[in-house]
Amino acid sequence: MTNIILCGKATDTSISSTLLPSLSKYGGVQYYGSDRITLLGEDKMKFLVYDCEKLPQIELDSGIILFKNSFNASEQIKIPSRFLCILEMKNVHAAELLNGTGTAAITCGMNPKDTLSVAGLDETSATLSLQRSVMTVDGNILEPHDFTVRLMSKLSPNRILAVCAVLLICGIDSSNGYDI
């Protein structure tokens, strides 16, 4: 099971409202939020998603931490070395928390310096560009490449990037694109 921690204000559901149905297309999802615990998908549980306002003490071997833009770091916490972090470059609170830790971070945004960026966007699809090699949670290396995302509804570029970053580092093959 892949552990995914969403970190930011409980009222900020923009990422989870897209991430959960997207993940459920690739396996069962157990979701734990501040006001809801639910199961999605009918397949074997493949993802555990924990939504929290501040990072808990993490005593798990590996996983993903996705910092919402509403994240506000209050204290330093040790992030296990096999956890991969996702954040927008403009998320200064998450960047401050990660600064100097040596934790692997994937930045998402519209800037060519971001690890994952938008190469093209219209109302029904987007082309994303993975601009440098990244490691998946199971230790495989993904080489830079472009891939297509078919949009089931109108989504902001930030939401598209965050969800696709999670799908990529979960090891979900992007060669046929993603539907989100």
Side-chain angles (χ1 to χ4, degrees):
M1 186 173 310
T2 302
N3 301 299
I4 302 167
I5 300 171
L6 302 179
C7 198
K9 291 186 179 178
T11 55
D12 181 358
T13 61
S14 62
I15 300 296
S16 61
S17 65
T18 305
L19 179 64
L20 298 175
S22 297
L23 285 173
S24 70
K25 295 174 184 173
Y26 301 99
V29 180
Q30 292 179 350
Y31 172 78
Y32 299 87
S34 63
D35 62 351
R36 175 173 73 132
I37 297 174
T38 190
L39 298 172
L40 291 104
E42 297 180 18
D43 296 331
K44 177 184 172 193
M45 288 303 120
K46 189 169 179 181
F47 307 100
L48 182 135
V49 179
Y50 176 65
D51 204 338
C52 56
E53 292 207 15
K54 68 177 205 160
L55 278 177
Q57 182 172 339
I58 302 170
E59 297 179 6
L60 300 170
D61 189 40
S62 65
I64 298 167
I65 301 171
L66 191 155
F67 291 99
K68 302 177 196 177
N69 286 337
S70 61
F71 173 73
N72 190 1
S74 57
E75 59 192 57
Q76 288 290 99
I77 189 162
K78 183 170 174 24
I79 297 173
S81 63
R82 293 198 51 225
F83 264 76
L84 305 169
C85 297
I86 300 169
L87 66 145
E88 281 187 50
M89 187 72 84
K90 67 182 181 180
N91 190 334
V92 294
H93 295 293
E96 284 175 10
L97 177 78
L98 297 173
N99 189 28
T101 64
T103 301
I106 293 165
T107 58
C108 299
M110 307 298 279
N111 189 316
K113 291 183 178 183
D114 289 310
T115 308
L116 186 63
S117 66
V118 175
L121 178 64
D122 63 35
E123 290 186 22
T124 60
S125 67
T127 301
L128 301 190
S129 183
L130 179 63
Q131 305 204 81
R132 62 189 133 278
S133 299
V134 297
M135 186 179 300
T136 64
V137 290
D138 58 4
N140 293 320
I141 300 294
L142 292 176
E143 296 298 331
H145 66 281
D146 290 348
F147 60 96
T148 303
V149 181
R150 291 167 297 282
L151 304 173
M152 303 297 116
S153 62
K154 187 172 182 170
L155 300 171
S156 72
N158 295 338
R159 195 180 315 184
I160 296 165
L161 288 163
V163 170
C164 289
V166 171
L167 295 173
L168 280 170
I169 60 177
C170 279
I172 299 170
D173 184 16
S174 63
S175 62
N176 293 320
Y178 296 137
D179 294 323
I180 64 169

